[in-house]
Amino acid sequence: MSTTKRTSLGRLGAALPEPEHYADVPTRRAPARATNRRRLGVHLVGDGVDVAVHASRAERVDLCLIDVAADGSLSERRFRLRGPVHGVWHGHVPGVRAGQRYGFRVHGHWDPAVGLRHNPAKLVLDPYARALAGATALVPAIYGHVVDDDLAPVDGVLHPDPVDSAPFVSHGVVVDDTFDGAVPSPRVPWSDTVLYEAHVRGLTMRLPGLPPSLRGTYAGMAHPVTIAHLKKLGVTTVELLPIHASLPEPFLVEKGLTNYWGYNTLGFFAPEPGYATRAAQVAGPQAVLAEVKGMVALLHAAGLEVVLDVVYNHTCEAGDLGPTLSLRGLDNTGYYLHDGSSPARLADVTGTGNSLDFRRTRVVQLALDSLRYWVSEVGVDGFRFDLAVTLGRNGAEFSPYHPFLVAMATDPVLAQTKLIAEPWDLGPGGWRTGQFPAPMGDWNDRFRNTVRTFWLADAGAAAKGQPGRDLRDLATRLSGSADLFGHGEVPGGRGPLASVNFVTAHDGFTLADLVAYEHKHNEANLEGNRDGSDDNRSWNHGVEGPVQRDSVAAEIVPVRRRSMRNLLGTLLLSAGTPMLTAGDEMGRSQGGNNNAYCQDNEISWLDWRTTGWHGDMLSTTSYLLRLRREHPVLRPTRFASGRPADGDEVADLAWFDAGGDAMSAQRWHDPHNRVLQMLRSGLHCGDGDALVVLNGSLDQQEVTLARGRGADFELVWDSSWERPDHSLEDETDPMSLVASPGESVEMESLSMRLYLTRPSR
């Protein structure tokens, strides 16, 4: 048995002890039944704890109370649980208090050919544990089967490993859920929502004004300096990358890297301890949990919602040859999706080696119980579901009426929250944008691709003399993607607000890199630049990467910045719910890395430069968000009909060409037509009308403004402006910003404008 690989995977921990074989000893039976065996997990009740755990194929389950001596050595007190009752083992154990470490040892058949992986030598984590202590180490002992120095099965056979894993794995910790500082949710309506996708660590690691002890932490996320930026920017809802406890994959650890994004869950209830302050980590798991709850409360007090990115589609136990840390040791066939073959193999629709089987009652219960906990006890306002198609699969087939999706939509706790699907996975028929049920919203990848294509890919093609696409798909995205979200169980479908529009996310190029790179540069990931998408729809404007001020190519730099403003403007002026990626408002770069999932360093951490053009970009983003907030005409809640509403003389939505005429079928299908005007009536929302004009050509264009209802248009934003107060800096006559319907105006190449009229009385 080799013990040479001894790399820490996780958190604070002492030097690793020598491995020892597990010894089964007589155990006391749990003194009493659990008060409520249907409530899974370990909960403080009366003079001790109630325990309930699902392990439907086990022959015996022991609760192991772990005590740590001053020298770091571990000792166990074991209690044999009662049952099973419908697969649940349970008991009440007196004398247990908050702070107690624990785990389970599961006895039963070892028969990998039929999917059974019971091995009592492995201390497995309670999937309902609300806090964790100790680090998990990349050593052979964490594997249920015997492995060699390379962590591969010996002789290709899965023999049960006799080494005790307790010293090498994270332990659950009993916690007291009492928290007196909760602040009610601001409950921002979807019509007002602006999502801001951020990483707790990446957002705060280099934030000026933040005390060093709070950088990269939950407390830093809720510090007044962080909140001041979010409020000044004008976002309403912070969408945090995963904060569930997670582990990096062994192949990353062996390279000296880590899973920075955190999409590799170890525990669905426990927060990631590594994002807590050092003081909280030293104080213990209860303090870590309190810091998370405090973060949510402080953000609520500032009027900001908190949405969590959650990963219920798979776990960190990887494929058939992965470690045994929790679900695999409890009930491998009951939790994971298998392909039905013999010998048994895991079915992988997530690309991670395993997928949770949402046909199983206990899997659905685990996810629902976790979600309710984070809302009811921690106070979060919603969730973004990673690879959400997996959660709606009945084996191979996806259904929008899957019991889990229906349960969320009808649950009295969860139905009041924001529920957002990443509407795809890697399995058959995995692309399902627009097909999730109300009240969920979907990340709209069609919006992302279409907007990038119009402003970047097509413009780059035009620079090479090649034609682009016509304007039909662009208009569909600008108006809320009715083709995707206009159907469902009720007339009108979920409406435009269900379309979560984005042009960038954590996965892919940043906004600045979209306009500076045509090819990914992921060498730092140590995968030979093979990882990450090749479908970026970006344009480097003629030069790959940064351009120096004294370079002969310096003339493209202002055009790049204008392209960034075009992307931002299209995002924030389109129908739907916009999502910004943290740092795009300041033009941050990842050096062309479009898959920085393993870069916990300056590649991923926000660069908080707000001087020069970075400050101009921040001002522009804040200004556009203020316009969106102040003008309901810019955030319609229903799909347009293309006809005047009752009492109006102007269509709720109309399209015009560069000559100010209604778009003809010929113009819609012409790939050389690169100018489009979109006119929205604001009469029935108490606002003026909005005219958005887009010039996607490489040449300056003369545009005759649509006539609308005959009222003058005021130019309130032009993407050719470096700053939103550009006209004041240039001492431009304010009257030059007013244009009459039917008036011809000159538009810069690759630019867009927003005109508004005064509200009709």
Side-chain angles (χ1 to χ4, degrees):
M1 173 67 195
S2 170
T3 59
T4 56
K5 288 185 178 289
R6 311 186 68 181
T7 306
S8 174
L9 281 179
R11 296 160 281 277
L12 302 175
L16 298 177
E18 290 300 318
E20 297 181 1
H21 281 206
Y22 162 77
D24 192 13
V25 297
T27 58
R28 291 179 56 194
R29 191 182 191 196
R33 296 179 174 85
T35 307
N36 179 5
R37 63 175 179 265
R38 293 181 178 84
R39 184 172 66 159
L40 300 180
V42 177
H43 303 273
L44 292 169
V45 175
D47 63 346
V49 291
D50 272 2
V51 183
V53 61
H54 173 72
S56 65
R57 292 159 180 79
E59 297 177 347
R60 174 180 136 201
V61 177
D62 296 340
L63 169 69
C64 302
L65 302 179
I66 310 295
D67 299 311
V68 183
D71 63 358
S73 61
L74 306 180
S75 61
E76 287 184 30
R77 290 172 287 148
R78 299 178 189 168
F79 294 87
R80 181 163 46 91
L81 297 179
R82 297 166 179 261
V85 179
H86 303 305
V88 174
W89 301 80
H90 66 95
H92 178 83
V93 180
V96 179
R97 296 289 180 262
Q100 176 67 59
R101 295 189 184 201
Y102 73 97
F104 297 113
R105 296 192 186 275
V106 184
H107 302 253
H109 288 294
W110 176 270
D111 190 352
V114 296
L116 300 179
R117 300 291 191 95
H118 303 113
N119 184 346
K122 307 306 163 184
L123 185 79
V124 295
L125 181 69
D126 177 10
Y128 280 73
R130 300 188 177 191
L132 302 184
T136 297
L138 182 57
V139 295
I142 71 173
Y143 287 77
H145 54 280
V146 179
V147 297
D148 59 21
D149 286 353
D150 295 317
L151 305 180
V154 173
D155 300 326
V157 180
L158 300 183
H159 299 289
D161 180 61
V163 176
D164 187 355
S165 69
F168 308 104
V169 295
S170 298
H171 308 143
V173 178
V174 179
V175 298
D176 181 351
D177 280 321
T178 303
F179 181 71
D180 297 328
V183 176
S185 167
R187 291 201 180 279
V188 179
W190 273 107
S191 58
D192 299 340
T193 298
V194 178
L195 296 162
Y196 184 78
E197 190 196 37
H199 190 290
V200 167
R201 186 166 168 82
L203 184 70
T204 61
M205 276 299 292
R206 305 168 73 185
L207 177 57
L210 197 63
S213 62
L214 301 186
R215 293 181 178 177
T217 69
Y218 301 117
M221 186 72 211
H223 189 274
V225 172
T226 314
I227 289 174
H229 174 76
L230 298 174
K231 297 296 288 184
K232 179 181 178 182
L233 181 59
V235 297
T236 68
T237 306
V238 179
E239 183 180 302
L240 296 177
L241 266 68
I243 65 169
H244 285 170
S246 65
L247 289 177
E249 295 84 347
F251 80 90
L252 288 176
V253 175
E254 292 174 353
K255 294 177 181 179
L257 300 172
T258 188
N259 190 322
Y260 167 70
W261 287 346
Y263 289 95
N264 210 38
T265 306
L266 174 62
F268 297 110
F269 290 76
E272 170 54 49
Y275 298 153
T277 57
R278 175 76 182 191
Q281 292 186 53
V282 171
Q286 188 78 51
V288 171
L289 180 57
E291 186 173 316
V292 175
K293 293 181 177 181
M295 171 191 71
V296 174
L298 289 170
L299 290 170
H300 281 178
L304 295 165
E305 293 182 310
V306 180
V307 168
L308 301 185
D309 197 334
V310 288
V311 186
Y312 294 105
N313 58 78
H314 76 282
T315 75
C316 64
E317 290 185 302
D320 291 295
L321 304 182
T324 295
L325 302 171
S326 183
L327 301 181
R328 173 169 284 137
L330 286 167
D331 195 348
N332 183 54
T333 59
Y335 281 108
Y336 290 119
L337 182 66
H338 285 70
D339 64 4
S341 63
S342 182
R345 293 180 303 183
L346 294 178
D348 180 14
V349 297
T350 65
T352 64
N354 69 67
S355 307
L356 286 173
D357 189 350
F358 274 79
R359 296 173 301 180
R360 307 291 187 177
T361 300
R362 295 302 182 184
V363 172
V364 172
Q365 180 185 2
L366 173 64
L368 290 173
D369 286 348
S370 170
L371 294 168
R372 292 190 197 100
Y373 169 75
W374 284 93
V375 174
S376 301
E377 298 293 339
V378 183
V380 304
D381 305 285
F383 306 92
R384 178 268 188 187
F385 296 92
D386 179 66
L387 300 183
V389 171
T390 300
L391 316 185
R393 284 189 182 275
N394 291 304
E397 298 300 321
F398 170 82
S399 170
Y401 307 108
H402 188 283
F404 175 67
L405 302 179
V406 173
M408 284 200 300
T410 57
D411 185 273
V413 174
L414 301 179
Q416 301 302 313
T417 66
K418 287 186 166 70
L419 305 173
I420 303 168
E422 182 185 41
W424 51 81
D425 69 6
L426 301 185
W431 185 82
R432 298 287 177 168
T433 304
Q435 298 180 36
F436 281 77
M440 298 187 76
D442 298 8
W443 270 25
N444 190 347
D445 55 321
R446 286 283 295 275
F447 181 94
R448 175 198 63 197
N449 292 348
T450 300
V451 173
R452 288 187 184 187
T453 296
F454 176 76
W455 287 117
L456 300 176
D458 282 356
K464 300 172 184 176
Q466 301 168 359
R469 285 77 164 178
D470 62 44
L471 299 176
R472 290 174 294 164
D473 199 36
L474 177 66
T476 303
R477 305 307 143 217
L478 290 169
S479 56
S481 297
D483 60 331
L484 300 174
F485 299 94
H487 52 82
E489 290 187 297
V490 298
R494 285 183 283 163
L497 296 176
S499 174
V500 176
N501 297 335
F502 66 105
V503 291
T504 67
H506 65 275
D507 186 3
F509 279 147
T510 66
L511 185 66
D513 287 351
L514 276 176
V515 304
Y517 296 92
E518 289 190 19
H519 308 285
K520 64 188 180 186
H521 296 268
N522 299 351
E523 290 79 9
N525 298 353
L526 304 182
E527 296 183 41
N529 205 35
R530 295 183 298 273
D531 62 300
S533 175
D534 293 313
D535 182 19
N536 296 299
R537 307 189 188 208
S538 58
W539 180 36
N540 63 17
H541 294 72
V543 176
E544 187 78 354
V547 173
Q548 302 301 318
R549 290 183 179 179
D550 56 355
S551 167
V552 294
E555 63 183 11
I556 71 171
V557 173
V559 185
R560 283 181 172 180
R561 294 202 293 265
R562 188 161 72 246
S563 291
M564 292 170 64
R565 292 190 292 272
N566 289 333
L567 293 167
L568 272 176
T570 307
L571 171 65
L572 299 179
L573 300 179
S574 294
T577 301
M579 183 186 78
L580 288 167
T581 304
D584 278 352
E585 71 271 24
M586 299 172 290
R588 82 174 180 104
S589 171
Q590 292 183 165
N593 192 321
N594 75 350
N595 190 35
Y597 76 105
C598 56
Q599 300 299 325
D600 186 7
N601 50 47
E602 288 80 0
I603 292 176
S604 295
W605 302 341
L606 264 65
D607 181 351
W608 283 89
R609 284 182 293 178
T610 56
T611 58
W613 73 265
H614 299 279
D616 294 342
M617 187 64 65
L618 177 58
S619 296
T620 295
T621 310
S622 299
Y623 176 71
L624 286 169
L625 284 171
R626 180 168 66 83
L627 287 175
R628 187 180 187 279
R629 182 168 61 252
E630 294 176 350
H631 293 280
V633 69
L634 299 178
R635 39 190 173 87
T637 59
R638 295 183 179 181
F639 290 119
S641 66
R643 300 183 300 274
D646 290 344
D648 199 351
E649 61 189 271
V650 174
D652 52 9
L653 180 66
W655 305 96
F656 303 90
D657 61 19
D661 298 319
M663 285 285 288
S664 64
Q666 181 179 358
R667 298 296 280 165
W668 278 122
H669 288 80
D670 182 0
H672 300 287
N673 177 27
R674 300 285 292 166
V675 177
L676 182 64
Q677 300 187 66
M678 177 178 68
L679 179 66
R680 288 189 192 138
S681 172
L683 181 66
H684 284 276
C685 60
D687 201 357
D689 301 336
L691 180 66
V692 178
V693 188
L694 303 95
N695 175 20
S697 71
L698 299 180
D699 300 313
Q700 191 176 64
Q701 292 287 329
E702 182 178 298
V703 178
T704 301
L705 299 182
R707 296 189 178 276
R709 66 181 77 249
D712 285 344
F713 291 107
E714 180 184 358
L715 177 61
V716 296
W717 181 68
D718 188 327
S719 68
S720 67
W721 299 346
E722 289 282 350
R723 295 180 60 88
D725 54 359
H726 167 94
S727 59
L728 298 179
E729 290 181 350
D730 287 357
E731 298 182 353
T732 303
D733 180 359
M735 291 304 297
S736 68
L737 302 178
V738 177
S740 301
E743 180 179 335
S744 293
V745 298
E746 292 291 331
M747 283 190 65
E748 186 65 70
S749 62
L750 295 176
S751 68
M752 67 181 296
R753 289 181 175 182
L754 172 62
Y755 291 91
L756 295 173
T757 69
R758 294 185 181 277
S760 301
R761 297 192 182 276

